[in-house]
Amino acid sequence: MERENSTMIIEVIAYTLSDALIAARNGADRLEVITAPAEGGLTPSLGLVQSILDQVDIDIRVMIRPHSRSFVYSKEDIEVMERDIANLRSLGVSGLVTGALTPQGDVDTSALERLLAAANDLPITFHRAIDEAADLEQAIYTLGQYSQITHILTSGGRPSVLEATDIIEQLTPVAKQQGITLLPGAGLHIDALESFLRQTSVQEFHIGSASRQNGSIMNPIDVDKLSAIRRIADQFSH
C-alpha cells in the first residue's frame, strides 16, 4: 500500500509486467498501468492488469482511454470506457486514470459523471487531458465537485512540467482546497527533480521516461535511475 502521508509519493508508469515488478521493488509507491506509451497511454489489456495485480502489492491505477485521437469522446467512446471500467473493477484495481473534455476545452462533466458512476467508489486520477483545458484553474474547481477524484495529473499546461514550475506552485494549493492532490508529471528528470520538489512543495509526483534506460519511455525501467529518484524523494519525507 501507499507510504505514510509524510513520505513523498512516487507514481511510476508501467506498461509491462516486468516494468511493474521492477518499479514496485525499487521505490514506486503507485503504478499507472497503461499500454501504447508512445501515444501517451491507452487502456491496457485485462491480462496485463491481472498479472500485475497477482504479483504486485502497491496502489495500482489503470488508464481508461480508448484512443489517442483527442480527449473529446463520443457516446460510443463513453460506452466502451464504461465497459472497460466494469471489467477492471471486477479485477480489483486500486483506482482508475481518466478524463474527458468538451470541444470548447472545458471538463466534460456529463461524460465524467458517467465514468465516475461506472467506477462506483473507485478513486480517480483525472489525467493530462487537463493540460488541454481552456482554463486550468477553472478545470480544477470543476473537478473539485467530485469527491471520487483524488488526483490530477498535469504538466501545468506545458509540454514539460519543468517549464511550469511556477504554475504548479500556484495550482497545488488550489487543488488542495478542493480536496485533490496535484500530481505533476511529464518531462521531469533526475537532474532537475530536487529543485522542482523544493520549489513546488508537492507531495507526490509522476515519473515516466526519467526512470528508464536512455531516458526513453520505450525502454525498460533502469533500476539505478529509479533508486536515485527514490533517494531524492526521500529527502523530502519526514
Side-chain angles (χ1 to χ4, degrees):
M1 300 309 294
E2 287 188 9
R3 296 159 193 258
E4 296 173 5
N5 289 339
S6 58
T7 298
M8 182 73 71
I9 299 292
I10 305 175
E11 179 179 280
V12 177
I13 292 172
Y15 59 89
T16 67
L17 177 57
S18 60
D19 276 354
L21 293 170
I22 292 167
R25 289 171 188 152
N26 292 279
D29 298 287
R30 183 193 306 119
L31 300 180
E32 182 194 59
V33 181
I34 65 167
T35 194
E39 296 184 64
L42 301 177
T43 307
S45 76
L46 293 178
L48 173 62
V49 175
Q50 184 69 72
S51 299
I52 292 172
L53 286 169
D54 286 348
Q55 297 186 53
V56 174
D57 188 25
I58 60 173
D59 191 346
I60 293 167
R61 294 206 179 186
V62 181
M63 178 70 79
I64 301 291
R65 186 180 176 216
H67 57 72
S68 57
R69 188 180 297 162
S70 77
F71 295 116
V72 179
Y73 296 118
S74 68
K75 176 173 147 295
E76 292 82 4
D77 290 333
I78 297 296
E79 287 169 3
V80 170
M81 294 164 86
E82 287 173 321
R83 183 164 289 191
D84 280 333
I85 288 170
N87 287 331
L88 287 161
R89 271 189 59 220
S90 71
L91 293 184
V93 301
S94 311
L96 301 168
V97 181
T98 196
L101 298 177
T102 66
Q104 294 73 37
D106 299 315
V107 173
D108 186 341
T109 52
S110 60
L112 184 61
E113 285 167 14
R114 285 182 58 179
L115 299 177
L116 293 177
N120 198 359
D121 56 353
L122 283 178
I124 303 293
T125 299
F126 193 93
H127 60 38
R128 288 190 62 211
I130 198 165
D131 291 321
E132 296 184 18
D135 184 328
L136 263 174
E137 190 164 338
Q138 183 54 53
I140 292 172
Y141 285 123
T142 301
L143 294 173
Q145 299 169 41
Y146 304 100
S147 59
Q148 251 175 293
I149 296 175
T150 60
H151 293 74
I152 297 172
L153 174 61
T154 180
S155 63
R158 302 284 169 82
S160 165
V161 74
L162 294 176
E163 298 167 26
T165 306
D166 54 338
I167 297 169
I168 298 297
E169 199 176 2
Q170 290 161 20
L171 294 181
T172 294
V174 174
K176 194 172 184 179
Q177 275 183 329
Q178 303 299 309
I180 296 172
T181 299
L182 210 65
L183 184 64
L188 273 180
H189 55 78
I190 291 175
D191 294 344
L193 181 59
E194 188 174 343
S195 60
F196 176 84
L197 295 177
R198 184 162 285 115
Q199 186 172 338
T200 58
S201 301
V202 295
Q203 297 171 301
E204 310 190 12
F205 63 93
H206 172 93
I207 285 289
S209 302
S211 65
R212 293 179 181 268
Q213 295 171 18
N214 300 319
S216 168
I217 194 66
M218 302 309 293
N219 289 336
I221 290 175
D222 183 317
V223 171
D224 291 340
K225 284 186 176 178
L226 184 52
S227 299
I229 289 166
R230 179 76 260 171
R231 285 194 298 274
I232 293 167
D234 286 344
Q235 295 175 36
F236 296 86
S237 302
H238 53 273

Coordinates of all heavy atoms in Angstrom, one line a residue, residues 96-171:
L96 N -8.5 4.3 -11.0 CA -8.5 4.5 -12.4 C -8.0 5.9 -12.8 O -8.0 6.8 -11.9 CB -9.9 4.3 -13.0 CG -10.6 3.0 -12.7 CD1 -12.1 3.1 -13.1 CD2 -10.0 1.9 -13.5
V97 N -7.5 6.0 -14.0 CA -7.0 7.3 -14.5 C -7.7 7.6 -15.8 O -7.7 6.8 -16.7 CB -5.5 7.1 -14.8 CG1 -4.9 8.4 -15.4 CG2 -4.7 6.6 -13.6
T98 N -8.5 8.7 -15.8 CA -9.3 9.0 -17.0 C -9.5 10.5 -17.1 O -9.0 11.3 -16.2 CB -10.6 8.2 -17.0 OG1 -11.2 8.2 -18.3 CG2 -11.6 8.7 -16.0
G99 N -10.2 10.9 -18.1 CA -10.5 12.3 -18.3 C -11.3 12.6 -19.6 O -11.2 11.7 -20.5
A100 N -12.0 13.7 -19.6 CA -12.7 14.0 -20.8 C -13.0 15.5 -20.9 O -13.2 16.1 -19.9 CB -14.1 13.3 -20.8
L101 N -12.9 16.0 -22.1 CA -13.1 17.4 -22.3 C -14.2 17.7 -23.4 O -14.5 16.8 -24.2 CB -11.8 18.1 -22.9 CG -10.6 18.1 -22.0 CD1 -9.4 18.7 -22.8 CD2 -10.8 18.8 -20.7
T102 N -14.8 18.8 -23.3 CA -15.7 19.3 -24.3 C -14.9 19.8 -25.5 O -13.7 20.2 -25.4 CB -16.7 20.4 -23.8 OG1 -15.9 21.5 -23.6 CG2 -17.4 19.9 -22.6
P103 N -15.5 20.0 -26.7 CA -14.8 20.6 -27.8 C -14.3 22.0 -27.5 O -13.3 22.5 -28.1 CB -15.9 20.7 -28.9 CG -16.8 19.5 -28.6 CD -16.9 19.5 -27.1
Q104 N -15.0 22.7 -26.5 CA -14.5 24.0 -26.1 C -13.4 24.1 -25.1 O -12.9 25.1 -24.8 CB -15.7 24.8 -25.5 CG -16.9 25.1 -26.4 CD -17.7 23.8 -26.8 OE1 -17.9 23.0 -25.9 NE2 -18.1 23.7 -28.0
G105 N -13.0 22.9 -24.6 CA -11.9 22.8 -23.7 C -12.2 22.9 -22.2 O -11.4 23.1 -21.4
D106 N -13.5 22.6 -21.9 CA -13.9 22.5 -20.5 C -13.9 21.1 -20.1 O -14.0 20.2 -21.0 CB -15.3 23.1 -20.4 CG -15.4 24.6 -20.7 OD1 -14.5 25.3 -20.3 OD2 -16.3 25.0 -21.4
V107 N -13.9 20.8 -18.8 CA -14.1 19.4 -18.4 C -15.5 19.0 -18.8 O -16.5 19.7 -18.6 CB -14.1 19.3 -16.8 CG1 -14.4 17.9 -16.3 CG2 -12.7 19.7 -16.4
D108 N -15.6 17.8 -19.5 CA -16.9 17.3 -19.9 C -17.6 16.6 -18.8 O -17.4 15.4 -18.5 CB -16.7 16.3 -21.1 CG -18.0 15.8 -21.7 OD1 -19.0 15.9 -21.0 OD2 -17.9 15.2 -22.8
T109 N -18.4 17.3 -18.0 CA -18.9 16.8 -16.8 C -20.0 15.7 -17.0 O -20.0 14.8 -16.2 CB -19.6 17.9 -16.0 OG1 -20.5 18.7 -16.8 CG2 -18.5 18.9 -15.4
S110 N -20.7 15.8 -18.1 CA -21.7 14.7 -18.4 C -21.0 13.4 -18.7 O -21.3 12.3 -18.1 CB -22.6 15.1 -19.5 OG -22.0 15.3 -20.7
A111 N -19.9 13.4 -19.5 CA -19.1 12.2 -19.7 C -18.4 11.7 -18.4 O -18.5 10.5 -18.1 CB -18.1 12.5 -20.8
L112 N -17.9 12.7 -17.7 CA -17.1 12.3 -16.5 C -18.1 11.7 -15.5 O -17.7 10.7 -14.8 CB -16.5 13.6 -15.9 CG -15.6 13.4 -14.6 CD1 -14.4 12.5 -15.0 CD2 -15.1 14.7 -14.1
E113 N -19.3 12.2 -15.3 CA -20.2 11.7 -14.4 C -20.6 10.2 -14.7 O -20.8 9.4 -13.8 CB -21.5 12.6 -14.3 CG -21.2 13.8 -13.4 CD -22.2 14.9 -13.6 OE1 -23.3 14.6 -14.1 OE2 -21.9 16.1 -13.1
R114 N -20.7 9.9 -16.0 CA -21.0 8.5 -16.4 C -19.8 7.6 -16.0 O -20.0 6.5 -15.6 CB -21.3 8.5 -17.9 CG -22.6 9.0 -18.3 CD -22.9 8.9 -19.8 NE -22.8 7.5 -20.3 CZ -23.0 7.1 -21.5 NH1 -23.3 8.0 -22.4 NH2 -22.9 5.9 -21.9
L115 N -18.6 8.1 -16.2 CA -17.4 7.3 -15.9 C -17.3 7.1 -14.4 O -17.0 6.0 -13.9 CB -16.2 8.0 -16.5 CG -16.1 8.1 -18.0 CD1 -14.9 8.9 -18.5 CD2 -16.2 6.8 -18.7
L116 N -17.6 8.1 -13.7 CA -17.5 8.0 -12.2 C -18.5 7.1 -11.7 O -18.3 6.3 -10.8 CB -17.7 9.4 -11.5 CG -16.6 10.4 -11.8 CD1 -16.9 11.8 -11.1 CD2 -15.2 9.9 -11.3
A117 N -19.7 7.1 -12.3 CA -20.8 6.2 -11.9 C -20.4 4.7 -12.2 O -20.6 3.8 -11.3 CB -22.1 6.5 -12.6
A118 N -19.8 4.5 -13.3 CA -19.3 3.2 -13.7 C -18.2 2.7 -12.7 O -18.1 1.5 -12.4 CB -18.8 3.2 -15.1
A119 N -17.4 3.7 -12.3 CA -16.3 3.3 -11.3 C -16.8 3.0 -9.9 O -16.0 2.5 -9.1 CB -15.3 4.4 -11.3
N120 N -18.0 3.4 -9.7 CA -18.6 3.2 -8.3 C -17.9 4.0 -7.3 O -17.9 5.2 -7.3 CB -18.7 1.7 -8.0 CG -19.7 1.4 -6.9 OD1 -20.3 2.3 -6.3 ND2 -19.8 0.1 -6.6
D121 N -17.1 3.3 -6.4 CA -16.4 4.1 -5.4 C -14.9 4.1 -5.6 O -14.2 4.5 -4.7 CB -16.7 3.5 -4.0 CG -16.4 2.0 -3.9 OD1 -16.0 1.4 -5.0 OD2 -16.5 1.4 -2.8
L122 N -14.5 3.7 -6.8 CA -13.0 3.7 -7.0 C -12.5 5.1 -7.1 O -13.1 6.0 -7.7 CB -12.7 2.9 -8.3 CG -12.7 1.4 -8.3 CD1 -12.4 0.9 -9.7 CD2 -11.7 0.9 -7.3
P123 N -11.3 5.4 -6.5 CA -10.7 6.7 -6.7 C -10.2 6.9 -8.1 O -9.8 6.0 -8.8 CB -9.5 6.7 -5.7 CG -9.3 5.3 -5.4 CD -10.5 4.5 -5.6
I124 N -10.3 8.2 -8.5 CA -10.0 8.5 -9.9 C -8.9 9.6 -9.9 O -9.0 10.6 -9.2 CB -11.2 9.1 -10.6 CG1 -12.4 8.1 -10.5 CG2 -10.9 9.5 -12.1 CD1 -12.2 6.8 -11.3
T125 N -7.9 9.4 -10.8 CA -7.0 10.4 -11.2 C -7.5 11.0 -12.5 O -7.7 10.3 -13.5 CB -5.6 9.9 -11.4 OG1 -5.1 9.3 -10.2 CG2 -4.6 11.0 -11.9
F126 N -7.7 12.3 -12.6 CA -8.0 13.0 -13.9 C -6.7 13.3 -14.6 O -5.8 13.9 -14.0 CB -8.8 14.3 -13.6 CG -9.4 14.9 -14.9 CD1 -10.7 14.6 -15.2 CD2 -8.7 15.7 -15.7 CE1 -11.3 15.1 -16.3 CE2 -9.3 16.2 -16.9 CZ -10.6 15.9 -17.2
H127 N -6.5 12.7 -15.8 CA -5.2 12.7 -16.4 C -4.9 14.0 -17.2 O -5.6 15.0 -17.0 CB -5.0 11.5 -17.2 CG -6.0 11.3 -18.3 ND1 -6.5 12.3 -19.1 CD2 -6.6 10.2 -18.8 CE1 -7.3 11.9 -20.0 NE2 -7.4 10.6 -19.9
R128 N -3.9 13.9 -18.0 CA -3.4 15.1 -18.7 C -4.3 15.7 -19.7 O -3.9 16.7 -20.3 CB -2.0 14.9 -19.2 CG -0.9 14.7 -18.2 CD 0.5 14.7 -18.8 NE 0.8 15.9 -19.5 CZ 1.6 16.0 -20.5 NH1 2.1 14.9 -21.0 NH2 1.8 17.1 -21.1
A129 N -5.5 15.2 -19.8 CA -6.5 16.0 -20.6 C -6.6 17.4 -20.1 O -6.8 18.4 -20.8 CB -7.9 15.3 -20.5
I130 N -6.4 17.6 -18.8 CA -6.5 18.9 -18.2 C -5.5 19.9 -18.8 O -5.7 21.1 -18.8 CB -6.3 18.8 -16.6 CG1 -6.8 20.1 -16.0 CG2 -4.8 18.6 -16.2 CD1 -7.1 20.0 -14.5
D131 N -4.4 19.4 -19.3 CA -3.4 20.2 -19.9 C -3.8 20.8 -21.2 O -3.2 21.8 -21.7 CB -2.0 19.5 -20.1 CG -1.4 19.2 -18.7 OD1 -1.5 20.0 -17.8 OD2 -0.9 18.1 -18.6
E132 N -4.9 20.3 -21.8 CA -5.5 20.9 -23.0 C -6.8 21.7 -22.6 O -7.5 22.1 -23.5 CB -5.8 19.8 -24.0 CG -4.5 19.1 -24.5 CD -4.8 18.1 -25.5 OE1 -5.9 18.1 -26.2 OE2 -3.9 17.2 -25.8
A133 N -7.1 21.9 -21.4 CA -8.2 22.6 -20.9 C -8.0 24.1 -21.2 O -6.9 24.6 -21.2 CB -8.5 22.4 -19.5
A134 N -9.1 24.8 -21.5 CA -9.1 26.2 -21.8 C -8.6 27.0 -20.6 O -7.9 28.0 -20.8 CB -10.4 26.7 -22.3
D135 N -8.9 26.6 -19.4 CA -8.6 27.3 -18.2 C -8.3 26.2 -17.1 O -9.2 25.6 -16.6 CB -9.7 28.2 -17.7 CG -9.4 29.1 -16.5 OD1 -8.6 28.6 -15.6 OD2 -10.0 30.2 -16.4
L136 N -7.0 26.1 -16.8 CA -6.5 25.1 -15.9 C -7.2 25.2 -14.5 O -7.7 24.3 -13.9 CB -5.0 25.1 -15.7 CG -4.1 24.2 -16.5 CD1 -2.7 24.5 -16.3 CD2 -4.4 22.7 -16.2
E137 N -7.2 26.4 -14.0 CA -7.7 26.7 -12.6 C -9.2 26.4 -12.6 O -9.7 25.7 -11.6 CB -7.4 28.1 -12.2 CG -7.7 28.3 -10.7 CD -7.0 29.6 -10.2 OE1 -6.1 30.1 -10.8 OE2 -7.5 30.1 -9.1
Q138 N -9.9 26.8 -13.6 CA -11.3 26.6 -13.6 C -11.6 25.1 -13.7 O -12.5 24.6 -13.1 CB -12.0 27.3 -14.8 CG -13.5 27.1 -14.9 CD -14.2 27.6 -13.6 OE1 -14.0 28.7 -13.1 NE2 -15.0 26.7 -13.0
A139 N -10.8 24.4 -14.5 CA -11.0 22.9 -14.6 C -10.8 22.2 -13.2 O -11.5 21.3 -12.9 CB -10.0 22.3 -15.6
I140 N -9.8 22.7 -12.4 CA -9.6 22.2 -11.1 C -10.8 22.4 -10.2 O -11.3 21.5 -9.5 CB -8.3 22.8 -10.4 CG1 -7.1 22.3 -11.2 CG2 -8.3 22.4 -8.9 CD1 -5.8 23.0 -10.7
Y141 N -11.4 23.6 -10.3 CA -12.6 23.9 -9.5 C -13.8 23.0 -9.9 O -14.5 22.5 -9.1 CB -13.1 25.4 -9.7 CG -12.2 26.3 -8.9 CD1 -11.6 27.4 -9.5 CD2 -12.0 26.2 -7.5 CE1 -10.8 28.3 -8.8 CE2 -11.2 27.1 -6.8 CZ -10.6 28.1 -7.5 OH -9.8 29.0 -6.8
T142 N -13.9 22.7 -11.2 CA -14.9 21.8 -11.7 C -14.7 20.4 -11.1 O -15.7 19.8 -10.7 CB -14.9 21.8 -13.2 OG1 -15.2 23.1 -13.7 CG2 -16.0 20.9 -13.8
L143 N -13.5 20.0 -11.2 CA -13.2 18.6 -10.7 C -13.4 18.5 -9.2 O -13.7 17.4 -8.7 CB -11.8 18.2 -11.1 CG -11.5 18.1 -12.6 CD1 -10.1 17.8 -12.9 CD2 -12.4 16.9 -13.2
G144 N -13.2 19.6 -8.5 CA -13.4 19.6 -7.0 C -14.8 19.3 -6.6 O -15.1 19.0 -5.4
Q145 N -15.8 19.3 -7.6 CA -17.2 18.9 -7.2 C -17.3 17.4 -7.0 O -18.4 17.0 -6.5 CB -18.1 19.3 -8.4 CG -18.1 20.8 -8.7 CD -18.9 21.1 -10.0 OE1 -19.9 20.5 -10.3 NE2 -18.3 22.0 -10.8
Y146 N -16.3 16.7 -7.4 CA -16.4 15.2 -7.4 C -15.5 14.6 -6.4 O -14.3 14.6 -6.6 CB -16.2 14.6 -8.8 CG -17.1 15.3 -9.9 CD1 -16.6 16.3 -10.7 CD2 -18.4 14.8 -10.0 CE1 -17.4 16.9 -11.6 CE2 -19.2 15.4 -10.9 CZ -18.7 16.4 -11.8 OH -19.6 17.0 -12.7
S147 N -16.0 14.1 -5.3 CA -15.1 13.6 -4.2 C -14.3 12.3 -4.7 O -13.3 12.0 -4.1 CB -16.0 13.2 -3.0 OG -16.9 12.3 -3.3
Q148 N -14.8 11.7 -5.7 CA -14.1 10.5 -6.2 C -12.7 10.8 -6.9 O -11.8 10.0 -6.9 CB -14.9 9.8 -7.3 CG -15.5 8.4 -6.9 CD -16.4 7.9 -7.9 OE1 -17.4 8.4 -8.2 NE2 -16.0 6.8 -8.6
I149 N -12.6 12.1 -7.3 CA -11.4 12.5 -8.0 C -10.4 12.9 -6.9 O -10.5 13.9 -6.3 CB -11.6 13.6 -9.0 CG1 -12.5 13.1 -10.1 CG2 -10.3 14.2 -9.6 CD1 -13.0 14.1 -11.1
T150 N -9.4 12.1 -6.8 CA -8.4 12.3 -5.7 C -7.1 13.0 -6.2 O -6.4 13.6 -5.4 CB -8.0 10.9 -5.1 OG1 -7.4 10.1 -6.1 CG2 -9.2 10.3 -4.4
H151 N -6.8 12.8 -7.5 CA -5.6 13.4 -8.1 C -5.9 14.0 -9.4 O -6.8 13.6 -10.1 CB -4.6 12.2 -8.3 CG -4.1 11.6 -7.0 ND1 -4.8 10.8 -6.2 CD2 -2.8 11.8 -6.4 CE1 -4.1 10.4 -5.2 NE2 -2.9 11.0 -5.2
I152 N -5.0 14.9 -9.8 CA -5.0 15.5 -11.1 C -3.6 15.4 -11.6 O -2.7 16.0 -11.0 CB -5.5 16.9 -11.2 CG1 -6.9 17.1 -10.7 CG2 -5.3 17.5 -12.6 CD1 -7.4 18.5 -10.6
L153 N -3.3 14.6 -12.7 CA -2.0 14.5 -13.3 C -1.9 15.6 -14.3 O -2.7 15.8 -15.2 CB -1.9 13.2 -14.0 CG -0.6 12.9 -14.8 CD1 0.6 13.0 -14.0 CD2 -0.7 11.6 -15.6
T154 N -0.8 16.5 -14.2 CA -0.7 17.6 -15.0 C 0.7 18.0 -15.2 O 1.6 17.8 -14.3 CB -1.5 18.8 -14.4 OG1 -1.4 20.0 -15.3 CG2 -1.0 19.2 -13.0
S155 N 1.0 18.6 -16.4 CA 2.3 19.3 -16.7 C 2.1 20.8 -16.6 O 3.0 21.5 -17.1 CB 2.8 18.8 -18.0 OG 1.9 19.3 -19.1
G156 N 1.1 21.2 -16.0 CA 0.8 22.7 -15.9 C 0.5 23.3 -17.2 O 0.7 24.5 -17.4
G157 N 0.0 22.5 -18.1 CA -0.4 23.0 -19.4 C 0.8 23.2 -20.4 O 0.6 23.8 -21.5
R158 N 2.0 22.8 -20.0 CA 3.2 23.0 -20.8 C 3.6 21.6 -21.3 O 3.3 20.6 -20.7 CB 4.3 23.6 -20.0 CG 3.9 25.0 -19.4 CD 3.9 26.1 -20.5 NE 3.3 27.3 -20.0 CZ 4.0 28.2 -19.3 NH1 5.2 28.0 -18.9 NH2 3.3 29.3 -18.9
P159 N 4.4 21.5 -22.4 CA 5.0 20.2 -22.8 C 5.8 19.5 -21.8 O 5.7 18.3 -21.7 CB 5.9 20.6 -24.0 CG 5.4 22.0 -24.5 CD 4.8 22.7 -23.3
S160 N 6.5 20.3 -21.0 CA 7.3 19.7 -19.8 C 6.8 20.4 -18.6 O 6.7 21.7 -18.5 CB 8.8 19.9 -20.0 OG 9.4 19.6 -18.8
V161 N 6.6 19.7 -17.5 CA 6.3 20.3 -16.2 C 7.4 21.2 -15.7 O 7.1 22.1 -14.9 CB 5.9 19.2 -15.2 CG1 7.1 18.4 -14.7 CG2 5.1 19.8 -14.1
L162 N 8.6 20.9 -16.2 CA 9.7 21.8 -15.7 C 9.6 23.2 -16.3 O 10.2 24.1 -15.7 CB 11.1 21.2 -16.1 CG 11.4 19.8 -15.5 CD1 12.7 19.3 -16.0 CD2 11.5 20.0 -13.9
E163 N 8.8 23.4 -17.3 CA 8.5 24.7 -17.8 C 7.3 25.4 -17.1 O 7.0 26.5 -17.4 CB 8.1 24.6 -19.3 CG 9.2 24.1 -20.2 CD 8.7 23.7 -21.6 OE1 7.7 24.4 -22.0 OE2 9.3 22.8 -22.2
A164 N 6.8 24.6 -16.1 CA 5.6 25.1 -15.5 C 5.7 25.1 -13.9 O 4.7 25.0 -13.2 CB 4.4 24.2 -15.9
T165 N 6.9 25.2 -13.5 CA 7.2 25.1 -12.0 C 6.3 26.1 -11.3 O 5.7 25.8 -10.2 CB 8.7 25.3 -11.7 OG1 9.4 24.4 -12.5 CG2 9.0 25.1 -10.2
D166 N 6.3 27.4 -11.8 CA 5.5 28.4 -11.1 C 4.0 28.1 -11.2 O 3.3 28.4 -10.2 CB 5.8 29.8 -11.8 CG 5.6 29.8 -13.3 OD1 5.6 28.7 -13.9 OD2 5.3 30.9 -13.9
I167 N 3.6 27.5 -12.3 CA 2.1 27.2 -12.4 C 1.8 26.1 -11.4 O 0.7 26.2 -10.7 CB 1.8 26.7 -13.8 CG1 2.1 27.9 -14.8 CG2 0.4 26.3 -13.9 CD1 2.0 27.5 -16.3
I168 N 2.6 25.1 -11.3 CA 2.4 24.0 -10.3 C 2.3 24.6 -8.9 O 1.5 24.2 -8.1 CB 3.4 22.9 -10.4 CG1 3.4 22.2 -11.8 CG2 3.3 21.8 -9.3 CD1 2.1 21.5 -12.2
E169 N 3.2 25.5 -8.6 CA 3.3 26.1 -7.3 C 2.0 26.8 -7.0 O 1.5 26.8 -5.9 CB 4.5 27.1 -7.3 CG 5.0 27.5 -5.9 CD 6.2 28.4 -6.1 OE1 6.7 28.7 -7.2 OE2 6.7 28.8 -5.0
Q170 N 1.4 27.5 -8.0 CA 0.2 28.3 -7.8 C -1.0 27.3 -7.7 O -1.9 27.6 -6.9 CB 0.0 29.2 -9.0 CG 0.9 30.4 -9.1 CD 0.9 31.0 -10.5 OE1 0.0 30.8 -11.3 NE2 2.0 31.7 -10.8
L171 N -1.0 26.3 -8.5 CA -2.2 25.4 -8.6 C -2.3 24.4 -7.5 O -3.4 23.9 -7.1 CB -2.3 24.7 -9.9 CG -2.5 25.6 -11.1 CD1 -2.6 24.8 -12.4 CD2 -3.8 26.5 -11.0

